[in-house]
Structure formats: structure tokens, C-alpha cells
Amino acid sequence: MTAGTPAKAPPPRLPGDPPGGSRAVAMWSIGVAVYFLAVTYRTSLGVAGIEAAERFDVNASVLSTFSLLQLMVYAGMQIPVGLLVDRWGTRKVLSLGIVLFTTGQFGFALADSYPLALGCRALLGCGDAMTFISVLRLGARWFPARRGPLVAQLAGLIGMAGNLVTTLVLARVLAAFGWTPTFAGSALGGLLALLLVLSLLRDAPPGHQPDTAHHGQTGYVRRQIAAAWAEPGTRLGMWVHFTAQFPAMVFMLLWGLPFLVEAQGLDVGTAGILLTVVVLSNMVVGLVYGQTIARHHRARAPLALGTVGATALLWAVVLAWPGRAPTEVLVTLCLVLGACGPASMIGFDFARPANPPERQGTASGIVNMGGFTASMTTLLAIGVLLDLTGDDYRVAFSAVFVLQALGVSQVLRLRGRAQRRERERTVTSRVEAVHVPAQT
């Protein structure tokens, strides 16, 4: 800046914009620690598949029911959890989630039959479903809106770190100490998390609590869902999440390892390294996307659609490759799949400015349901196609393109409408920021 040049005035703070600061970081850190713990519990079965098959005396197809059930419970709980977060607040919902997923993890440690273990995983999935939306709402209530994209991406990154810890640490603990000590010991983390939430966590800074005047009125649930769904930004966010998330989720949760081993001829160790590449790529790309969107809001749709396009291109190359694809191509595929999670998080960046604070949880629940619905559909479709074609992975994984085409068509249909609505809201908010005196 040269002498005599006036400093550029910062943009006016929008009405209700939280202050942020060190206390916001502390509150958000408690919430995201709970999410981290939930992810380690969610993915713990991924390193215990062989032991689980032996313990419960089930085959691989029956064992996959654990993952499918968790996804079904998680997806089905998203809108109810969003409503609960808006009505009860983050602290109460996170506390309930901790109780449920800790009970499920501890019960899984002691379960000696398949039905009992299945019930425990359903309970765990129910508690897990309460964490991410709560963390998103916590970030929206404690940080200024301009920090929202980065805060959300950081939450997703820390969740992926939980996945990495499961892979690198829990697997070794399981090998050293066995089933019951490993799962029961990990459940102790839930007790510590519950203590932190009950004693330290607060829903929002003083003076920034959302309006709860209408929560007890008749028809609240119906009006809350209808109002969130009526916003084009909410629907656009759901379809972005639907389209971007599921290719990596399906790959990591169930079908990636069989594809790499059976269709591409890799050994299990090499296939495991490639799955780790997906996780590491997710963490790096999440930081890049979060910083980019925080500085350039218009980059949201190009980043999301670009990631979907790159994913489709790499899958097409791998599936069309004569014989087995080269290792370099598979590594590139895994690097691109790592961007799917951060791209799906952009869906929340469309829904957040479209809804007032008292509706953030409901809108986030609608968005989050999109990706998990697509994941469940694709998990089942690939399994059915593998059975019908005699394990032809080329045909089975072509289901990815069908859901991507559906999602992209909806994103393109809603994109312009959502952006116009968002611009209208921004102009109105800035006018209010100038003309409405600050409350003391």
C-alpha cells in the first residue's frame, strides 16, 4: 500500500454473523473430536472383516450386511437428526449420539452372535448419524459465514483422519490384543467425549442463539422440512452431494478391495496401499478446496462438476483398458477418488447461505442424505450386476456413470436458480447490515 492510499474497508458484517475467535475454535474442536471418534468406530469393522467372519460364522455376502445396514441407518437418520439439531441444539444431540455409538461399540465388543452384532452396528450407525450435522451447525453458529467452507472441509478432513487411524492403529491393536479388548477399549473414548461435551460445549456465542419460538408449535416438523426443501440452494446442495460422494464411498466401503484384487490382479497389501492413497488425497484436496471456496465463492460449482467429470473420465479409462490397467492409472484413479469427499462437501456450501440459522440442521440433513442414498443404491447395484454377469467388474462398475449422469443433470437444472436466489439474499443482508443498528 502506498502512502496516501486509503485502506480498503472490510465488508460489513452480516446480521447475526458470529465473531469467531479462539473460543469458537475451542468449541468447534470439541465437536469435531466427537466426529473423529465416531468415524473411527464407523470404520473399525473395515480392519476386522476376517475376524468378524470367523467370530460370527458368516460368509462374505452376509458380512457386507454390516456396512449396508450402517449406511441405511445413517441415511435414514439425516433429516430426523437435522430437525433434532435445530430443535434441541448441538450439545444435546451430540450427547445422545455419543451415548448411542459408544453403547453400540461396546456391545459389538461383547457380541457373540450375528443378530446381536448386527443390532449393535445399527445402534452405532444411529449415533454416528448425529455427529456430522451437529458439527456443521456448531461451525455455522460460532464462525463467520465466510469461514464456513473451510470449517466444513476441515471437519471432513479430520473425519478422514479417523479413517486413517483405524487403518494404521486399530488394525495393529486388534492383532495384538484380540477382539473384545480392542473394541471394548476403544469404547472408553466415548466416555471421555461425553464428559467434554457435557461440561464444556456451548451451542452458540452469547447473543447468537437461533430463534426457537416456533419449535413447539403444531406442524413444526412439516414446515421446517418444507421450508428447507423449497430453497433451490438446499436441493442443489443435495444433488451435488449425491453426485460427488458415492464413487469414493462405494470404493472405500466395500467394492474397492475386491476390484483391485480380483479384477486388476493386485495383491491385498498393494490394494490396501491404494486405499490409503484415497484417504491421503482426500485430506489434501479438502484443504485446497476449503481455502479456494472461502476466497472465491464462484468456484463452488466448477470444482464440484470438475471433480465429477474427472472421476467419470478415470473410471472410463480404467474400465475400458484392455486387460489390467497399469499401476500408474490405478494410482491416478485413487488420487481423483480422494477428491470426491471434498467435492461433496461443497453441497453444504450451497445449502448454508440459502437457509436461516434456525433451519441449518434440517437443510444439512437433506444435503447429507443425498450422497448416502447414492452410495446405498450403487453398493446394491454393483452387487446385483456382479451376480448377474459372473463377476464382470466392467459391467458392474458402469452403474457409477448412470447415477453421475442423473446427478449432473439435476445440478445443471438447479444451479442458475440457486445462484440467483443466493444473490438476492446477499444484497438484502448487506442492506440490513448498513441500515439496522447493532444490538447491544
Side-chain angles (χ1 to χ4, degrees):
M1 182 186 302
T2 60
T5 302
K8 185 177 180 181
R13 184 181 295 277
L14 300 182
D17 220 7
S22 58
R23 193 178 181 203
V25 173
M27 293 297 106
W28 180 80
S29 296
I30 294 173
V32 83
V34 176
Y35 176 55
F36 172 88
L37 186 64
V39 172
T40 63
Y41 288 2
R42 178 201 308 172
T43 57
S44 58
L45 185 61
V47 299
I50 297 175
E51 291 83 354
E54 295 175 354
R55 182 179 180 88
F56 305 121
D57 192 23
V58 295
N59 57 28
S61 60
V62 175
L63 188 64
S64 67
T65 308
F66 283 121
S67 299
L68 288 173
L69 178 64
Q70 278 187 249
L71 274 185
M72 290 177 64
V73 171
Y74 193 102
M77 285 292 295
Q78 291 311 295
I79 292 179
V81 167
L83 290 164
L84 283 178
V85 169
D86 287 335
R87 189 163 189 165
W88 289 0
T90 302
R91 184 169 174 266
K92 291 181 180 179
V93 175
L94 268 184
S95 299
L96 177 59
I98 293 169
V99 170
L100 291 175
F101 69 61
T102 301
T103 303
Q105 184 79 342
F106 187 73
F108 196 62
L110 303 179
D112 56 3
S113 67
Y114 175 72
L116 181 58
L118 199 63
C120 290
R121 295 306 286 187
L123 194 64
L124 191 156
C126 187
D128 179 22
M130 297 183 175
T131 58
F132 188 63
I133 292 177
S134 297
V135 171
L136 288 179
R137 184 185 186 273
L138 197 64
R141 297 311 303 150
W142 279 94
F143 290 96
R146 66 181 183 276
R147 299 294 185 193
L150 180 59
V151 169
Q153 291 286 359
L154 284 173
L157 184 152
I158 293 172
M160 289 304 294
N163 194 338
L164 197 62
V165 167
T166 302
T167 304
L168 299 178
V169 178
L170 196 65
R172 289 175 171 78
V173 174
L174 181 65
F177 297 100
W179 182 278
T180 299
T182 298
F183 284 96
S186 66
L188 295 176
L191 299 179
L192 177 60
L194 183 61
L195 179 62
L196 286 174
V197 168
L198 293 177
S199 60
L200 299 176
L201 188 64
R202 298 294 179 268
D203 284 349
H208 291 80
Q209 288 81 2
D211 180 22
T212 59
H214 304 293
H215 287 184
Q217 295 182 1
T218 303
Y220 163 77
V221 171
R222 177 182 55 80
R223 288 196 305 273
Q224 190 82 341
I225 296 174
W229 183 257
E231 291 291 344
T234 304
R235 301 198 302 277
L236 175 60
M238 185 198 73
W239 283 109
V240 168
H241 200 266
F242 177 101
T243 313
Q245 187 204 47
F246 78 91
M249 177 69 72
V250 167
F251 193 82
M252 293 294 294
L253 196 62
L254 188 60
W255 293 118
L257 193 68
F259 170 77
L260 293 173
V261 173
E262 296 177 8
Q264 298 299 317
L266 302 180
D267 60 77
V268 174
T270 303
I273 292 173
L274 287 179
L275 295 182
T276 304
V277 168
V278 178
V279 176
L280 295 175
S281 172
N282 182 294
M283 297 172 70
V284 173
V285 174
L287 282 175
V288 174
Y289 279 16
Q291 291 278 11
T292 301
I293 295 171
R295 296 174 181 175
H296 308 285
H297 215 47
R298 293 182 180 178
R300 292 174 300 174
L303 283 177
L305 291 173
T307 302
V308 172
T311 305
L313 175 63
L314 263 297
W315 265 121
V317 170
V318 170
L319 296 179
W321 200 279
R324 296 170 179 172
T327 302
E328 295 80 2
V329 174
L330 295 177
V331 170
T332 305
L333 171 66
C334 291
L335 289 172
V336 171
L337 287 175
C340 289
S344 72
M345 294 289 293
I346 296 173
F348 297 104
D349 296 321
F350 284 109
R352 189 183 302 109
N355 292 274
E358 61 270 17
R359 213 165 57 218
Q360 288 293 324
T362 305
S364 295
I366 293 173
V367 171
N368 210 27
M369 188 176 65
F372 288 93
T373 301
S375 296
M376 284 191 301
T377 303
T378 311
L379 278 170
L380 292 172
I382 290 175
V384 170
L385 289 172
L386 285 173
D387 288 339
L388 292 176
T389 61
D391 292 339
D392 188 333
Y393 281 91
R394 296 178 190 271
V395 175
F397 271 93
S398 297
V400 170
F401 304 123
V402 177
L403 269 74
Q404 283 184 322
L406 171 63
V408 168
S409 68
Q410 295 300 313
V411 170
L412 294 177
R413 181 178 70 86
L414 291 165
R415 178 183 176 186
R417 195 183 319 169
Q419 290 178 337
R420 286 193 298 271
R421 175 74 166 149
E422 187 175 312
R423 284 195 296 268
E424 293 170 1
R425 282 182 173 273
T426 301
V427 170
T428 302
S429 297
R430 294 203 180 280
V431 170
E432 291 177 354
V434 172
H435 293 288
V436 177
Q439 296 181 354
T440 58

